[in-house]
Amino acid sequence: MTAQPKQPQNLRYIIIGAGMAGILAGIRLLERGETDFVIYEKGSTVGGTWRENTYPGVACDTPAHSYSYSFAFNPDWSAFYAPGPEIQDYFERMTDKFGVREFIRFNTEIARCSYQDGRWRVTTQDGQVDEADVLVAATGVLHHPNTPDIPGLTDFTGASFHSARWRHDIDYSKQRVGVIGNGSTGIQIVAAMSGQVPKLVHFQRSPQWIMPCPDTKYSDEDRQAFRQDPDKIEDVRSGPEAQARRGRFLAAIIDSNSPELTEIQSIVEQNLNETIKDPELKAKLTPNYRAACKRLVFSPNYYQKVQHPSVSVEIAGIERVEENGVRLKDGTFHELDVLVLATGFKVDAFVRPMTITGIDGIDLNDVWAEHPKAYYAVTVPKFPNFFMLNGPTGPVGNFSLIDIAERQWNYGDQLVDLLRNGQCKAFAPTEAALEEYEMQRTEAAKKTVFASGCKSWYLDAKGVPQVWPWPYETFMEVMAKPNLDHYELTPMANG
Ligand code: NA7
């Protein structure tokens, strides 16, 4: 691309989603003095996953000071791992502090986006049409609840609901509760409800390795210290301890033969062996795959809480749900009043169920028929002037999605600069660039711990992890500056 800077262009932007990433987009645009944008949000307030997940014990397993915008530290976190409601409150406050709220159209779900005559035409579910030059999908990852295909689920006469649709109208202290699923969500729910209900049954299809983590609460003095000295916050985010933790974890993820993974393996085994006393329960809770193969679950107290006399763990497999409870494959029956489905999310949805069509009407659903893909997880060939925050094949595994989104915004924003400066009228990666990226990514992904012999939501239909398989530093490097040799830049009509 040799074009010289041309006439600056005024652009209009449409951002979809007002979760962590959509709010970030709004803040960044306002910082640039850009006000011709709208953020469409299907919910009635901001926060995305933190708005939707209100179950007992909901918390982020990334340290709170890392799970904050790099430009808006929060000295007031109550704990090293922040509870969900505090995170929701943080995003509400950031939305107002940076003046983003007035740009959000709440309760407005987008049905279609199509690239026509050099602009994005966006249609809401109720048929309103809007147009913009740039489209940003900040639609989140884990928000379409996965309802398990368990026979008889609809026969249950008690209350049954997905963990992301928590019923707050129930007095749980009188209920016999079953929790299906033991990802991060199920583990948090069981730890929080243990001892709070007369009977709690945790149905596990496959056991999880549990990484112990500190249950550190911040005191008023801690918060005062964070307030007075932001370097203390920076230290929690990226000081030696944080770097060591991240470094160990990264090395373990990208190479399943690494000494770091061996170390993690011994930590989780020790956690299990030293905390669980009953050999029968220990056997039930012992996975037959390696640590971190499934997303590592962090918990300060699950193993303690699961040993409460009112809690039982069932691994026999669910035969069917009946009117009054759950029948296991070994014939055992648990009478229950409440059945919580902590069964995860439809993880390959990303921007869907929206229909997005690019050049010549090409449908993103067709491009993604095999699995969702995007060049460096951000842009897609033939979908010009469009990028995603936290889109497919980005870094996963106990990192701060905020840091990831900030870097992706920085990358996308530099591409948008080409439009702003009048250097081109459209950008999109080349097909060859995406193909090469996918080929290398797939090869590297097969060597990650995620492919070391377990089923998880990281894997596609062919068992290949749909993740960023390289060091985080590589991600930081490629996000720092787009390689324009891998982009097709459409010249301005007059240029
Ligand atoms: P996850 O991590 O996807 O966990 C879902 C759990 O539900 C997991 O234990 C599954 O067992 C279980 N599951 C799913 N379908 C079924 C059926 N049909 N029968 C029995 N059990 C089932 O979701 P979470 O909400 O816990 O966490 C999602 C992410 O949110 C998490 O990684 C963080 O990023 C935050 P399986 O292991 O597949 O045998």
Side-chain angles (χ1 to χ4, degrees):
M1 169 76 192
T2 53
Q4 298 302 308
K6 303 273 173 62
Q7 196 63 23
Q9 306 290 306
N10 292 322
L11 303 177
R12 176 166 166 76
Y13 308 78
I14 289 178
I15 293 135
I16 306 176
M20 164 277 284
I23 301 166
L24 167 74
I27 294 173
R28 289 305 199 203
L29 285 172
L30 288 172
E31 271 173 2
R32 305 187 64 100
E34 305 241 24
T35 52
D36 195 2
F37 71 92
V38 58
I39 304 176
Y40 286 104
E41 167 54 56
K42 70 178 157 61
S44 58
T45 190
V46 299
T49 196
W50 303 106
R51 178 195 65 223
E52 302 208 349
N53 285 281
T54 59
Y55 58 80
V58 59
C60 184
D61 59 12
T62 299
H65 283 303
S66 298
Y67 197 78
S68 317
Y69 295 123
S70 61
F71 49 86
F73 289 175
N74 176 23
D76 296 323
W77 295 121
S78 68
F80 184 75
Y81 292 107
E86 262 180 55
I87 301 174
Q88 175 64 15
D89 179 60
Y90 171 77
F91 288 126
E92 295 277 4
R93 283 191 288 117
M94 294 304 113
T95 306
D96 292 326
K97 178 177 172 181
F98 290 95
V100 176
R101 198 174 295 271
E102 64 180 282
F103 295 89
I104 307 175
R105 300 268 170 79
F106 290 109
N107 303 307
T108 310
E109 189 165 355
I110 302 301
R112 281 189 308 284
C113 307
S114 59
Y115 187 73
Q116 290 172 16
D117 305 324
R119 293 199 99 201
W120 281 100
R121 203 177 145 85
V122 169
T123 311
T124 64
Q125 282 290 2
D126 57 9
Q128 291 173 48
V129 176
D130 196 354
E131 282 196 14
D133 304 287
V134 177
L135 180 67
V136 181
T139 41
V141 189
L142 302 169
H143 61 115
H144 298 292
N146 170 44
T147 303
D149 190 12
I150 298 176
L153 203 52
T154 50
D155 298 340
F156 188 62
T157 52
S160 165
F161 49 89
H162 189 270
S163 51
R165 302 284 181 271
W166 193 261
R167 291 265 308 264
H168 290 276
D169 57 335
I170 295 172
D171 176 4
Y172 290 94
S173 67
K174 298 185 177 65
Q175 314 293 322
R176 294 161 298 177
V177 178
V179 176
I180 302 178
N182 54 326
S184 303
T185 303
I187 295 289
Q188 288 180 341
I189 293 174
V190 168
M193 295 190 99
S194 162
Q196 309 295 314
V197 297
K199 170 178 173 172
L200 183 59
V201 187
H202 198 183
F203 300 99
Q204 305 197 356
R205 186 165 65 179
S206 20
Q208 287 272 12
W209 288 113
I210 312 259
M211 190 72 176
C213 60
D215 195 11
T216 311
K217 307 281 187 256
Y218 290 134
S219 64
D220 285 345
E221 289 74 36
D222 292 330
R223 283 189 280 276
Q224 185 62 13
F226 286 136
R227 215 165 287 129
Q228 280 169 350
D229 184 5
D231 281 353
K232 287 199 160 61
I233 295 181
E234 196 54 67
D235 189 54
V236 180
R237 289 168 66 89
S238 57
E241 215 176 291
Q243 281 190 23
R245 196 175 45 237
R246 219 173 3 237
R248 180 180 65 190
F249 194 63
L250 266 167
I253 285 177
I254 59 176
D255 177 6
S256 56
N257 294 314
S258 62
E260 287 82 357
L261 184 60
T262 309
E263 191 190 342
I264 290 178
Q265 185 72 46
S266 72
I267 295 171
V268 294
E269 283 178 13
Q270 192 182 0
N271 189 29
L272 176 70
N273 290 329
E274 288 184 358
T275 327
I276 300 292
K277 306 290 174 223
D278 173 20
E280 201 183 316
L281 180 60
K282 194 179 289 181
K284 283 182 179 176
L285 294 173
T286 306
N288 62 357
Y289 56 86
R290 303 178 67 184
C293 184
K294 286 174 190 273
R295 189 177 192 277
L296 204 51
V297 173
F298 283 67
S299 175
N301 58 1
Y302 175 76
Y303 284 152
Q304 287 80 0
K305 297 287 185 172
V306 82
Q307 294 175 88
H308 190 278
S310 62
V311 183
S312 55
V313 172
E314 291 293 2
I315 58 160
I318 297 173
E319 174 73 27
R320 64 180 178 276
V321 177
E322 299 181 4
E323 262 184 27
N324 301 321
V326 170
R327 173 85 54 197
L328 298 175
K329 289 193 171 134
D330 66 4
T332 312
F333 183 72
H334 282 286
E335 210 167 307
L336 298 168
D337 307 303
V338 173
L339 193 54
V340 178
L341 309 175
T343 43
F345 299 86
K346 292 179 186 143
V347 292
D348 64 349
F350 290 99
V351 301
R352 297 176 281 193
M354 266 190 310
T355 303
I356 304 193
T357 53
I359 288 174
D360 298 334
I362 184 170
D363 189 330
L364 196 59
N365 267 311
D366 296 331
V367 178
W368 285 2
E370 207 171 295
H371 60 81
K373 53 189 165 186
Y375 176 61
Y376 285 139
V378 181
T379 48
V380 187
K382 293 204 157 64
F383 290 78
N385 304 347
F386 165 66
F387 67 96
M388 289 175 279
L389 301 174
N390 296 121
T393 74
V396 293
N398 311 92
F399 299 117
S400 169
L401 284 177
I402 298 189
D403 188 66
I404 293 166
E406 285 191 15
R407 290 176 197 283
Q408 291 173 328
W409 175 267
N410 177 49
Y411 178 98
D413 195 45
Q414 291 178 64
L415 292 168
V416 174
D417 260 343
L418 302 171
L419 311 181
R420 289 189 188 109
N421 299 337
Q423 283 177 260
C424 66
K425 110 178 152 187
F427 64 81
T430 63
E431 304 257 17
L434 176 59
E435 232 170 80
E436 177 70 16
Y437 165 77
E438 271 294 283
M439 198 181 70
Q440 292 187 9
R441 193 193 61 74
T442 302
E443 280 318 299
K446 289 177 185 164
K447 298 189 192 104
T448 60
V449 68
F450 308 125
S452 68
C454 67
K455 280 193 187 152
S456 80
W457 60 266
Y458 292 150
L459 306 181
D460 70 6
K462 290 184 182 155
V464 178
Q466 292 306 308
V467 299
W468 184 265
W470 301 292
Y472 197 71
E473 287 71 21
T474 312
F475 175 74
M476 288 158 66
E477 272 161 35
V478 293
M479 286 299 104
K481 196 166 176 44
N483 178 353
L484 295 186
D485 292 343
H486 293 173
Y487 276 85
E488 218 165 283
L489 306 180
T490 313
M492 303 294 288
N494 59 0

